Amino acid sequence: MKIAVLPGDGIGPEIVKEAVKVLNVLGEKFELEEAPVGGAGYEAKGHPLPDSTLALAKEADAILFGAVGDWKYDKLERALRPEQAILGLRKHLQLFANFRPAICYPQLTGASSLKEEIVSGLDILIVRELNGDIYFGAPRGVREAPDGLFAGSKEGFDTMRYSEPEVRRIAHVAFQAAQKRGKKLTSVDKANVLETSQFWKDVMIDVSKEYADVELSHMYVDNAAMQLVKAPKSFDVIVTGNMFGDILSDEAAMLTGSIGMLPSASLDKNNKGLYEPSHGSAPDIAGKGVANPLATILSAAMMLRYSLNKADQADRIENAVRKVLEQGYRTGDILTPGCKQVGTVAMGDAVVAALRNGPRPG
Ligand code: IPM
Ligand code: MG
């Protein structure tokens, strides 16, 4: 099992190091190979997604990704900015299905900015389409407006589009995810305004005929944004397009009060995947040893479950993380009174200790 390890920028290297430490004590034979990506790719090879990094990602069975981005690259032309690395990997590897769980751990309900009763026990899953929509739709650019009230003046434009196979494949992924959970799927769109959204909705309804056991409902994205803060527990699985999913998944993550805890997976049609924490590169705290490595450690668990067929090892890691929370270990981002504040490395060590002391797979 070959794992491409792409630490990236900011806190990426420190948190990935802890996840690698955890992988290395499982007693499995993983071949881990590291490569630069994002700003680190640009520094090393002149491109955020160097050819050698892309080649490694393609040949590996799974990718463990840290984070990319740093303010110091803001002045680079768009094609060279760190974000292009993650967009390029998603596109080149056809990682179209993005799983973003938002779970409020019982020990951390106090860390949420919402009232405890609204978020305690929260466990929802956002399935975000990752290869289409206005993110990748052509044409795009800056031009002279060909029509409209301001015809002839300069305008910026992008294109929102979704083809039927694109919507179908994410619909199947979402319905199947809902089947394994609470059997409720909410498709989020803006069908009251957008043609693309009406089309998305019609395809969802068509695919739903194959999943009689899943209850499908539809919600406009503005209402979904409201319901997520009003009654987040009323959701089970949400499926939505690339743009709406980007926004709603940040909102959902923040409900839990601990974006530093949330892993994510981006899968292709064969369940090969890229695994990364839901948070970003946090350049302001990079190198200080205070970042929370748990989202990356939990991403490694997702990798074991979805791409490497090692659900028992994934369970072990998730149990170990629960254990360290019970023991009261907290990094600064999830600290509440009465807990033990630790840094990045000590948190990784605590997970390793919990793994060593916990039950092993049969
Ligand atoms: C995310 C990020 C990316 C996105 C950026 C870094 C391009 O916000 O993974 O949600 O917009 O998809
Ligand atoms: Mg985002």
Side-chain angles (χ1 to χ4, degrees):
M1 287 176 289
K2 181 156 183 172
I3 303 171
V5 179
L6 313 183
D9 309 321
I11 58 172
E14 326 164 36
I15 53 180
V16 165
K17 201 165 167 199
E18 297 312 306
V20 166
K21 192 157 89 183
V22 167
L23 285 171
N24 280 333
V25 298
L26 295 175
E28 300 280 348
K29 285 208 173 57
F30 300 122
E31 190 193 328
L32 302 171
E33 193 175 329
E34 207 177 296
V37 76
Y42 178 74
E43 302 287 350
K45 315 245 171 173
H47 195 277
L49 183 55
D51 290 340
S52 49
T53 301
L54 180 58
L56 171 67
K58 279 186 173 160
E59 87 181 47
D61 300 299
I63 301 149
L64 185 63
F65 190 92
V68 291
D70 195 315
W71 305 300
K72 65 183 179 208
Y73 304 112
D74 279 358
K75 289 202 176 66
L76 288 177
E77 59 175 285
R78 183 174 302 281
L80 294 178
R81 283 195 217 151
E83 292 76 15
Q84 295 304 315
I86 186 69
L87 294 172
L89 283 165
R90 289 172 184 170
K91 197 67 184 172
H92 286 294
L93 277 71
Q94 292 199 47
L95 306 170
F96 69 91
N98 187 208
F99 285 69
R100 297 195 166 178
I103 294 171
C104 193
Y105 287 82
Q107 299 88 352
L108 302 180
T109 45
S112 174
S113 53
L114 295 192
K115 294 193 192 102
E116 285 207 26
E117 66 263 30
I118 307 273
V119 292
S120 76
L122 179 75
D123 179 354
I124 63 179
L125 173 67
I126 296 192
V127 178
R128 170 188 175 197
E129 201 289 330
L130 218 47
N131 274 182
D133 206 348
I134 197 163
Y135 265 60
F136 293 101
R140 59 194 288 158
V142 175
R143 65 182 174 189
E144 189 178 298
D147 48 26
L149 204 50
F150 299 98
S153 42
K154 235 169 123 186
E155 71 172 7
F157 68 108
D158 295 273
T159 308
M160 178 179 269
R161 52 193 280 192
Y162 263 122
S163 67
E164 188 174 344
E166 261 178 319
V167 183
R168 277 192 186 277
R169 66 182 183 176
I170 195 70
H172 282 289
V173 167
F175 275 104
Q176 284 162 26
Q179 273 181 327
K180 294 190 196 119
R181 296 174 39 107
K183 300 191 166 51
K184 264 172 48 183
L185 180 63
T186 308
S187 171
V188 171
D189 61 50
K190 189 72 186 173
N192 50 345
V193 179
L194 303 172
E195 297 296 334
T196 318
S197 274
Q198 184 59 53
F199 181 72
W200 168 285
K201 183 173 176 177
D202 293 342
V203 176
M204 284 289 157
I205 291 170
D206 195 45
V207 173
S208 74
K209 293 174 191 147
E210 293 174 52
Y211 299 92
D213 55 335
V214 175
E215 182 198 319
L216 172 69
S217 60
H218 307 272
M219 197 179 279
Y220 298 140
V221 62
D222 48 350
N223 187 23
M226 255 189 340
Q227 297 307 323
L228 268 175
V229 284
K230 189 175 168 217
K233 285 189 267 183
S234 62
F235 294 103
D236 176 21
V237 181
I238 291 175
V239 62
T240 189
N242 208 347
M243 181 82 246
F244 301 153
D246 179 44
I247 301 164
L248 293 182
S249 62
D250 265 23
E251 187 188 4
M254 211 53 227
L255 295 175
T256 69
S258 47
I259 193 166
M261 296 292 303
L262 300 177
S264 78
S266 305
L267 304 178
D268 75 1
K269 64 177 193 302
N270 302 317
N271 286 338
K272 170 171 170 169
L274 179 149
Y275 298 83
E276 60 175 324
S278 283
H279 59 72
S281 56
D284 51 328
I285 57 163
K288 296 192 176 149
V290 298
N292 186 348
L294 293 178
T296 316
I297 290 171
L298 290 166
S299 298
M302 273 184 119
M303 174 174 79
L304 290 159
R305 175 167 293 118
Y306 290 109
S307 289
L308 302 178
N309 251 317
K310 297 265 173 203
D312 49 354
Q313 296 284 23
D315 289 343
R316 268 184 87 197
I317 295 179
E318 286 162 1
N319 288 334
V321 168
R322 244 171 260 133
K323 186 72 190 267
V324 302
L325 292 178
E326 273 160 30
Q327 290 168 332
Y329 293 110
R330 302 283 188 274
T331 41
D333 57 313
I334 51 174
L335 188 64
T336 43
C339 292
K340 287 173 248 175
Q341 184 165 5
V342 292
T344 312
V345 174
M347 186 59 110
D349 289 343
V351 175
V352 167
L355 272 170
R356 290 220 163 99
N357 298 327
R360 273 149 209 278

